[in-house]
Amino acid sequence: MATFFGEVVVAPSRAGVDDEEWAEEAREETPEDREIRRELEKKREIDVLWTLKSGASTESSADQLFVCSKLVIAIGHNAAAFLSSFILDSVCWEIVGVVKLWNEWCRTSNSTNVLPTDSFCLFYRLVSDPTVLLCQCSCYVAEDQQFQWLEKVFGCMRKEGLQVTILSTCPVADYKTQESTLTLPSPFLKALKTKEFKEQVCCPLLEQPNIVRDLPAA
């Protein structure tokens, strides 16, 4: 239970399929259906490739954890463009990783040479402090891929002392308030935080009943 509105908490999921219903579906599934499903599941797997050492791309593994003190993740085209314009527009950053994924709305590759119109997910490291990472994620991550994305990205990092900041955007029309949205400044910034975050928040907290969805919520 949250101690205040705006606190990020992990709630138990009640989503699931009844055992009898699942068994009935399994009985109706043909070998061809199972093969197609396995191929689709394999195709939807997410790969995280890092070039943290010697410039060679390597897949993430649990025995190669690296230290990360601060990770800033920009999710969506607007947030990724903000990073490009105000933070990455210098020679202080180097590309150290890429996420490769496939779904109905997104096709990415393991290339780090992308155009602004491409869907991509790139990781940058601060040259002067290699423990500071930025992530630009302008690609769509489907619901069934979000946990896998989190597991593989954060599975590469040591969690001790790690501070994560997530930037995302949504239309003003989706913002729930008693005021008229016509009088609101656009854009404006609101924040959510976990109880572990003890520093001063740089903007007002998001009011109820507004919520965050998709990968930022995950």
Side-chain angles (χ1 to χ4, degrees), residues 2 25 27 46 54 57 61 73 76 95 118 132 139 143 145 154 166 173-174 180 194-195 202 210-211:
E25 291 179 356
R27 284 194 295 269
I46 292 177
S54 68
S57 296
S61 60
I73 306 175
I95 296 177
D118 292 339
V132 177
C139 57
E143 283 190 15
Q145 296 176 313
F154 287 98
I166 300 170
D174 292 345
S180 170
T194 62
K195 60 184 178 181
C202 64
N210 293 286
I211 62 173

Side-chain angles (χ1 to χ4, degrees), residues 158-174:
R158 295 179 183 173
K159 309 301 189 299
E160 296 80 6
L162 173 59
Q163 178 180 307
V164 181
T165 303
I166 300 170
L167 305 175
S168 66
T169 60
C170 69
V172 175
D174 292 345

Side-chain angles (χ1 to χ4, degrees), residues 45-205:
E45 289 182 359
I46 292 177
D47 293 321
V48 182
L49 305 174
W50 298 99
T51 57
L52 293 169
K53 297 180 180 179
S54 68
S57 296
T58 57
E59 291 192 11
S60 59
S61 60
D63 58 348
Q64 294 180 337
L65 299 179
F66 57 86
V67 177
C68 182
S69 61
K70 289 182 174 60
L71 172 62
V72 179
I73 306 175
I75 301 175
H77 289 283
N78 291 334
F82 175 83
L83 280 191
S84 294
S85 300
F86 296 98
I87 299 179
L88 292 171
D89 190 19
S90 69
V91 295
C92 300
W93 302 89
E94 59 180 350
I95 296 177
V96 293
V98 61
V99 176
K100 182 180 179 181
L101 60 88
W102 177 96
N103 56 48
E104 297 84 355
W105 301 100
C106 177
R107 308 286 189 275
T108 64
S109 68
N110 56 2
S111 172
T112 57
N113 299 317
V114 295
L115 298 174
T117 54
D118 292 339
S119 292
F120 59 89
C121 186
L122 300 178
F123 287 87
Y124 297 82
R125 178 171 60 185
L126 185 62
V127 175
S128 59
D129 185 355
T131 67
V132 177
L133 297 181
L134 299 181
C135 174
Q136 278 185 307
C137 182
S138 70
C139 57
Y140 171 74
V141 182
E143 283 190 15
D144 63 308
Q145 296 176 313
Q146 291 171 10
F147 177 76
Q148 187 184 167
W149 192 98
L150 296 168
E151 188 178 45
K152 293 199 173 182
V153 169
F154 287 98
C156 310
M157 307 174 187
R158 295 179 183 173
K159 309 301 189 299
E160 296 80 6
L162 173 59
Q163 178 180 307
V164 181
T165 303
I166 300 170
L167 305 175
S168 66
T169 60
C170 69
V172 175
D174 292 345
Y175 179 63
K176 298 175 177 62
T177 177
Q178 295 181 349
E179 303 177 39
S180 170
T181 54
L182 297 176
T183 62
L184 292 172
S186 183
F188 59 90
L189 190 64
K190 299 285 183 176
L192 294 175
K193 70 182 185 71
T194 62
K195 60 184 178 181
E196 286 80 11
F197 186 81
K198 305 301 183 183
E199 299 180 19
Q200 184 70 29
V201 181
C202 64
C203 61
L205 294 177

